Amino acid sequence: MLSGKTKADLGVGAEASLTPRPSAAPRPTRPRAGRGLGALRRHSILFFLLPVVLYLPFFAYPIGYNFLVSLRDYTLSSLITGEAPFVGLRNLSSVWHDPIFLTALRNTLLFTLLSITCQYVIGLAIAVFFSRPFFLSRTLRSVIILPWLVPGVVTTAAWKWMFNESNGLVNRLLMDVGLDPIGWFSTSSGAFAAVTIVNIWTGIAFTVVMLHSGLQGIPADQYEAASLDGAGAWGRFWHVTMPGLRPVTGIVIILCLIGTLKQFDIVWVLTRGGPGNATQLLSTWSYQLSFGEQAFGRGAAVGDFLFALSLLAAAVYAIWNRRTTR
Amino acid sequence: MNRRHSQAVGRVLKPIIGVAITAVMLSPLLWMISASLQTRTQLYEIPAHILPPTPTLANFEAVISTQIGSLGTSVVISVATAILSLIISVPAAYALAQRQFRWTGTIVLLLLITQMIPNVMTATPFYLMFSRLGLVNSYPALVLADSTYAVPFAILVLRAFFVEVPAELREAALIDGAGELGALLRVVLPVVRTGVIAVGMFCFLFAWADFVYALTLSTDGSVVPFTLSIYSFIGAQQTNWNELMAAAVLGIIPGAVLLIGAQRYIAAGLIGGAVKG
């Protein structure tokens, strides 16, 4: 998952690791040979955790520190003097009452909903199309994931030229079929459509790969049984493919959701949240507050909201997962 | 007869539709490559050229000298990130796979949560932290920040690979008198070589693709990763699209090389991490 990563840019790639059924069954315990070799040897494996333990502060610190910053009036001068007065929840409340908050929240939710729906549906269609081998299918299927291995900034640069209002491919094709060219970056709806399309496109490669591996896991005899029962292609899809894909579907959707909530690169490179906040997301707004206006406390507060949103999504997924696997 | 007929049609049609789908999916990249081979005037001719009328490498000649520095910077950062991430993750994943600690589940859960953290959110603390340490605009800052993408991913995926290694292999090595480290380096690692290479490549790509940390931790132009260089190219007053597209093509190279040269590793890394768990 590369976009970000997402893969992210590669971003999404970074998340290619949720387990399908967390703690479904305890791993069978193996006989341990270390037992007769002395206590020292048995515990020596703990030393293998030493590097990650030393590294952990670098990881935990920024996360904890973000919450602390969001409780302080941290500005450019704090950077120099190191003084940032404690203001409690004032940053959170000031961000909450800012009219941009509602715009950014609405944009983030709409952007996310449109993205994951289209990523899933298009990715599923492509994965199903490539599920049975045919001439060239392996080559094409591997080439199709290239966008996912390219930095988001690079693909977004390509898209920016595709959407170029005077001579981009998209407007040229629109005019070829007799439609009016669209002001992709000068109108609010055009810009929102542009960032959403690019984000959908970036995520499809990931959903194709995941759903393809899910499809390979569905036993062929289930399809044969359904055929014998008289199910047509459509019936087989609904009664065999979709239920068989359920665990992978859960992972794909949660990973696309988290990847899209975090999305920053695409929007920042294409529109920087503009025109007039039309594509402002919580992520871009947080960045703008921190690094545009040096209001680090408020930027961190927006970050807190964004993180809470991701956690909420993950919690919903965990509950759904527990229900469906029981 | 009818059935055989439709099968024959399918055999011809499917590859054609498959190529069409792939072309649509790759169209931005293809359009970018096409633009990179055209001159500035050709780029603005109407109707636009789908294929470069007179392919030229002039754009590449123009950008290679300006981009080579940032490409080098990104290679250094990405290689360092991959090495650092593997040094941290390989032993940790091995330990977590060999021993079912009471808190293994908790650690895995925490690693998953870290993947949800928006990097815009950690960029501010990193910036504040590194500016106090005097490390803004330095390689170590970017390597450390980028490794936070890679380490949780690497531990989770490598653990999945290590769990699959037959326990007898390690036990035999231990009985032969090798220490845990010897067992890991000489017996277990060679078995999961594919997985380690795949994970290392992904760590490289995460750092290669990083934009948020580059944007925030590089402020004075002394250490400019490739993504940041492309970004400032786009932001220029008069965007030179033909040269920008040539520069962007250079950014596809590592991904494309991995795709061609390491197909099976990519599949192994992905499926190992995502499905086996």
Side-chain angles (χ1 to χ4, degrees):
Chain A
M1 345 195 269
L2 318 179
S3 160
K5 163 240 93 44
T6 10
K7 229 344 148 157
D9 25 322
L10 279 218
V12 269
E15 290 90 36
S17 41
L18 269 184
T19 48
R21 277 167 243 96
S23 69
R27 229 167 268 291
T29 43
R30 318 188 158 110
R32 274 192 204 114
R35 198 154 289 167
L37 300 171
L40 182 72
R41 173 152 294 175
R42 228 182 310 145
H43 290 290
S44 67
I45 200 154
L46 282 175
F47 289 104
F48 285 68
L49 291 174
L50 201 61
V52 80
V53 169
L54 290 175
Y55 174 77
L56 221 53
F58 267 105
F59 216 96
Y61 179 83
I63 300 161
Y65 197 66
N66 186 73
F67 289 109
L68 295 182
V69 169
S70 68
L71 301 177
R72 290 176 179 278
D73 183 21
Y74 209 114
T75 57
L76 198 56
S77 66
S78 320
L79 214 54
I80 300 152
T81 60
E83 277 171 33
F86 185 81
V87 294
L89 300 177
R90 211 179 300 159
N91 283 324
L92 284 162
S93 118
S94 116
V95 160
W96 178 267
H97 290 107
D98 193 313
I100 299 178
F101 180 77
L102 212 59
T103 312
L105 182 65
R106 205 178 44 220
N107 287 344
T108 303
L109 294 179
L110 186 62
F111 175 70
T112 306
L113 194 71
L114 285 171
S115 293
I116 56 175
T117 311
C118 297
Q119 282 169 349
Y120 184 76
V121 172
I122 299 172
L124 182 61
I126 296 178
V128 168
F129 180 82
F130 282 100
S131 63
R132 297 248 196 94
F134 56 87
F135 177 63
L136 283 180
S137 67
R138 274 178 66 94
T139 315
L140 293 176
R141 189 165 42 82
S142 51
V143 173
I144 221 168
I145 68 170
L146 179 62
W148 188 57
L149 300 174
V150 174
V153 174
V154 169
T155 51
T156 308
W159 273 102
K160 201 160 185 174
W161 175 239
M162 293 269 286
F163 282 128
N164 187 286
E165 291 177 16
S166 62
N167 214 20
L169 182 64
V170 180
N171 274 355
R172 191 201 134 159
L173 291 177
L174 286 176
M175 289 192 284
D176 281 352
V177 296
L179 296 171
D180 286 334
I182 293 175
W184 291 104
F185 300 115
S186 51
T187 63
S188 301
S189 50
F192 193 81
V195 296
T196 311
I197 289 169
V198 178
N199 189 59
I200 291 168
W201 176 84
T202 308
I204 287 176
F206 173 70
T207 56
V208 169
V209 174
M210 295 288 287
L211 291 171
H212 179 82
S213 73
L215 287 173
Q216 302 307 306
I218 301 176
D221 54 2
Q222 288 192 11
Y223 286 104
E224 284 159 24
S227 294
L228 288 177
D229 289 345
W234 198 240
R236 287 196 298 270
F237 177 75
W238 281 113
H239 298 294
V240 180
T241 308
M242 287 310 281
L245 279 181
R246 186 178 276 171
V248 184
T249 295
I251 310 169
V252 167
I253 289 186
I254 188 74
L255 293 179
C256 288
L257 183 79
I258 290 169
T260 303
L261 281 176
K262 302 201 291 196
Q263 185 53 261
F264 170 82
D265 304 7
I266 290 173
V267 183
W268 196 253
V269 173
L270 276 183
T271 64
R272 291 198 190 198
N277 292 321
T279 55
Q280 192 73 272
L281 304 179
L282 289 174
S283 60
T284 52
W285 190 37
S286 167
Y287 176 84
Q288 194 161 327
L289 285 172
S290 287
F291 293 97
E293 303 174 22
Q294 268 81 36
F296 292 104
R298 291 199 292 146
V302 176
D304 289 349
F305 280 115
L306 191 54
F307 184 45
L309 218 55
S310 298
L311 276 183
L312 186 73
V316 169
Y317 165 75
I319 293 166
W320 173 84
N321 191 43
R322 191 157 288 184
R323 279 226 187 114
T324 52
T325 48
R326 262 185 197 163
Chain B
M1 174 62 202
N2 198 7
R3 189 179 167 85
R4 193 176 300 164
H5 181 70
S6 76
Q7 275 179 350
V9 171
R11 211 172 307 144
V12 178
L13 265 186
K14 271 203 139 188
I16 296 174
I17 301 174
V19 169
I21 293 175
T22 312
V24 170
M25 279 299 294
L26 296 184
S27 57
L29 300 181
L30 298 172
W31 187 241
M32 174 167 100
I33 295 169
S34 167
S36 73
L37 299 171
Q38 299 181 32
T39 65
R40 198 177 159 81
T41 32
Q42 284 167 347
L43 217 50
Y44 283 97
E45 274 161 14
I46 290 179
H49 303 286
I50 300 284
L51 291 173
T54 51
T56 165
L57 290 176
N59 298 320
F60 287 94
E61 279 163 25
V63 295
I64 203 92
S65 56
T66 56
Q67 300 300 318
I68 195 87
S70 66
L71 282 167
T73 303
S74 270
V75 168
V76 170
I77 291 172
S78 306
V79 169
T81 303
I83 292 172
L84 176 71
S85 305
L86 284 179
I87 289 175
I88 294 166
S89 314
V90 167
Y94 179 70
L96 289 175
Q98 292 306 334
R99 288 277 292 269
Q100 199 68 37
F101 299 111
R102 220 176 319 152
W103 21 269
T104 302
T106 317
I107 293 179
V108 171
L109 184 72
L110 282 176
L111 290 173
L112 291 177
I113 290 178
T114 59
Q115 312 241 296
M116 288 174 207
I117 296 166
N119 39 17
V120 173
M121 180 177 151
T122 47
T124 311
F126 269 132
Y127 175 75
L128 300 177
M129 178 169 92
F130 286 128
S131 62
R132 205 163 315 148
L133 295 171
L135 282 176
V136 174
N137 297 307
S138 74
Y139 284 91
L142 282 165
V143 171
L144 276 168
D146 286 351
S147 69
T148 60
Y149 295 123
V151 167
F153 165 85
I155 295 179
L156 289 169
V157 177
L158 287 171
R159 180 173 168 271
F161 278 108
F162 284 135
V163 163
E164 297 291 312
V165 176
E168 296 76 29
L169 276 179
R170 163 174 169 265
E171 285 155 12
L174 290 178
I175 289 167
D176 285 351
E180 283 285 3
L181 191 61
L184 170 62
L185 291 180
R186 282 200 293 274
V187 180
V188 179
L189 266 189
V191 176
V192 295
R193 197 176 50 231
T194 315
V196 175
I197 295 173
V199 168
M201 289 186 332
F202 273 98
C203 294
F204 177 95
L205 281 185
F206 291 152
W208 181 260
D210 164 67
F211 174 59
V212 172
Y213 294 139
L215 188 62
T216 48
L217 299 176
S218 168
T219 55
D220 67 359
S222 57
V223 179
V224 180
F226 179 66
T227 49
L228 190 60
S229 167
I230 291 280
Y231 173 71
S232 37
F233 216 135
I234 299 174
Q237 282 297 317
Q238 276 292 318
T239 308
N240 235 332
W241 283 105
N242 48 332
E243 290 186 3
L244 170 58
M245 291 296 107
V249 168
L250 301 176
I252 310 183
I253 292 171
V257 167
L258 291 188
L259 198 61
I260 295 163
Q263 184 64 42
R264 66 199 182 101
Y265 297 126
I266 292 174
L270 248 180
I271 291 164
V275 185
K276 277 187 219 148

